[in-house]
Amino acid sequence: MRTQVVIIGAGPAGLLLSHLLRLAGVASVVLESRSREHCEQRIRAGVLEQGTVDTLTQAGLGSRMQREGLVHHGIELLFERTRHRIDLTALTGGRAITVYGQHEVVRDMIAAAIDHQQPLYFDVSAVSLHDLTTDKPWVQFTHEGIAQRIDCEFIAGCDGFHGISRDSIPAAALQTFERIYPYAWLGILAHAAPTCDELVYAHHERGFALFSMRSPELTRLYLQCRPDEDLAQWPDQRVWAELHARFDNADGWLPAIGEIAQKGVTPMRSFVCEPMQYGRLFLAGDAAHIVPPTGAKGMNLAVADVRVLSKALAAHYRDGRDDLLAAYSSTCLARVWRAEHFSYFMTNMLHPSFDDTPFVNRLKLSELRYVARSDAAARMLAENYVGLPFDD
């Protein structure tokens, strides 16, 4: 086989890149090690920035999102038993967020790829990348028991933190930055109608908690826990009791109790590799960077990356320009580090530390009070939360 761009990974980054390239007249092939069913059913966070919503809509991928997504104009911070609303829309000139599951975004993009007959291979194995520093890279893989080779001109590594793309770059060519947090999230998906129209971030002396939703019938909730938490020690009754304790407030609001359909522990880490390109290989999304989920930036950063990459590849093929490709890493990393800092800020402020001094936890409460009472601090949070505008 021969194509212009081989995309490794059929997550949001890889699938969106293939659509953007198609719209620009650039041919691509997507390779994914998992099954289609796995990709479509893998539940991940679903808070979409305004820019992500606009990008999906402009690419012709937003019709179901527009019908079923839940548009939120604010979030709530709950601390010291009091709820404080941050008006995202008023503070950002009309921007908002949309709650729409990542797996739903993936389903929409896979369906569109099939409709447009985009080459998309699931269940591939033994993927290897070759001749990355030449103008004729190639990819070898096995599909349905048959070893195959694709000759191409560029490779996009969109295969996540544990994928093969980043590992295909010599260690000496990369610099990595990482922070492992001393806590994790115990998350549940419950068959219960959401009792609040917006996300509620709760700081409590017992630990952080987050109220979110996936649909008018499904509530998504999280509890701060240890990274090595044993789920067997968390029967449903204990989960609900702890959630209600951490969400306790003077208004009497609480999430509704329902059947728990899913339960799991999510570790917390920040990670960035520099540069995000090596020869003809370009990394995007989780292959290049990880953020803790507190700031809701993971998928949104992936979308930002492939916007930049698709425009750079389009300029290469349409205009013979390579300056945008040369600047890909520095362009993306400016936004990545801003998102890393915001995610760190949200995570640090909202999670009480049990390994630190009472002094540090008092500082966190002071910061929460400042954000809740200062228009300038609230605007900073709102601007970053809804996503900074793209600089095209």
Side-chain angles (χ1 to χ4, degrees):
M1 285 189 286
R2 181 178 295 276
T3 191
Q4 291 172 307
V5 182
V6 172
I7 300 170
I8 312 297
L15 290 168
L16 179 58
L17 179 60
S18 71
H19 284 287
L20 296 177
L21 292 178
R22 173 180 58 81
L23 293 171
V26 179
S28 67
V29 174
V30 180
L31 305 178
E32 169 58 51
S33 63
R34 306 290 188 129
S35 68
R36 175 180 175 180
E37 292 72 22
H38 176 88
C39 293
E40 292 182 335
Q41 296 172 11
R42 180 171 47 190
I43 304 296
R44 292 291 186 272
V47 176
L48 309 185
E49 294 178 354
Q50 182 70 62
T52 297
V53 171
D54 295 343
T55 299
L56 294 173
T57 301
Q58 292 162 7
L61 301 167
S63 58
R64 193 162 71 92
M65 174 187 65
Q66 299 289 352
R67 294 194 308 270
E68 301 178 12
L70 307 174
V71 179
H72 289 190
H73 299 283
I75 61 171
E76 292 192 9
L77 302 178
L78 169 57
F79 59 95
E80 298 178 311
R81 301 192 69 242
T82 303
R83 298 159 65 186
H84 305 266
R85 185 172 186 268
I86 305 296
D87 192 329
L88 301 176
T89 301
L91 291 165
T92 60
R95 297 167 72 81
I97 59 168
T98 297
V99 175
Y100 187 66
Q102 178 175 310
H103 63 291
E104 304 293 359
V105 175
V106 168
R107 287 176 184 172
D108 294 342
M109 291 196 283
I110 289 176
I114 293 172
D115 286 345
H116 291 98
Q117 299 183 325
Q118 287 288 103
L120 179 55
Y121 292 82
F122 292 101
D123 295 307
V124 304
S125 60
V127 179
S128 57
L129 315 183
H130 304 271
D131 293 341
L132 300 176
T133 56
T134 74
D135 60 358
K136 296 180 180 179
W138 55 282
V139 178
Q140 188 168 353
F141 67 100
T142 298
H143 184 248
E144 296 181 345
I146 301 174
Q148 302 191 49
R149 167 176 170 154
I150 306 180
D151 292 289
C152 59
E153 295 165 4
F154 298 96
I155 300 173
C158 306
D159 50 345
F161 184 78
H162 298 290
I164 58 97
S165 294
R166 190 177 69 254
D167 288 344
S168 299
I169 301 174
L174 285 180
Q175 187 175 11
T176 59
F177 307 86
E178 186 171 25
R179 174 181 174 82
I180 304 298
Y181 292 86
Y183 33 74
W185 281 5
L186 191 160
I188 67 165
L189 188 68
H191 290 287
T195 55
C196 183
D197 294 333
E198 297 174 341
L199 276 66
V200 181
Y201 290 81
H203 174 105
H204 192 277
E205 61 183 11
R206 298 173 67 95
F208 166 80
L210 171 61
F211 168 89
S212 181
M213 65 286 294
R214 288 294 174 266
S215 74
E217 297 81 29
L218 291 173
T219 301
R220 186 74 163 161
L221 299 133
Y222 298 94
L223 288 167
Q224 178 182 345
C225 65
R226 300 191 315 271
D228 60 350
E229 199 71 62
D230 181 6
L231 281 178
Q233 301 301 313
W234 284 90
D236 293 0
Q237 184 176 6
R238 182 188 176 192
V239 170
W240 289 114
E242 191 64 27
L243 283 166
H244 282 192
R246 296 188 192 184
F247 283 120
D248 177 49
N249 63 92
D251 297 336
W253 168 83
L254 288 173
I257 296 176
E259 178 188 359
I260 296 179
Q262 185 186 78
K263 192 185 298 180
V265 173
T266 301
M268 308 276 279
R269 67 146 45 97
S270 298
F271 174 88
V272 180
C273 77
E274 295 186 7
M276 291 171 56
Q277 58 194 99
Y278 176 75
R280 291 291 181 105
L281 169 64
F282 296 82
L283 304 178
D286 287 359
H289 41 72
I290 297 287
V291 290
T294 326
K297 294 300 169 200
M299 181 169 63
N300 295 296
L301 277 181
V303 169
D305 289 347
V306 299
R307 276 179 60 99
V308 175
L309 184 54
S310 65
K311 292 177 184 296
L313 289 168
H316 169 84
Y317 286 108
R318 182 186 62 239
D319 306 321
R321 291 178 53 189
D322 285 339
D323 56 315
L324 298 182
L325 284 171
Y328 169 74
S329 183
S330 59
T331 302
C332 290
L333 284 170
R335 190 180 191 93
V336 166
W337 279 112
R338 174 87 294 277
E340 290 283 355
H341 179 267
F342 176 68
S343 299
Y344 168 81
F345 158 75
M346 289 284 284
T347 302
N348 183 66
M349 177 176 66
L350 287 162
H351 290 73
S353 174
F354 303 112
D355 300 323
D356 220 321
T357 64
F359 177 86
V360 171
N361 285 320
R362 286 292 191 276
L363 291 179
K364 297 181 180 189
L365 277 173
S366 176
E367 193 160 32
L368 278 164
R369 294 183 193 121
Y370 181 58
V371 169
R373 296 171 185 172
S374 164
D375 287 344
R379 181 170 291 107
M380 180 280 295
L381 189 155
E383 287 178 347
N384 284 272
Y385 196 91
V386 302
L388 300 176
F390 293 119
D391 183 9
D392 291 333

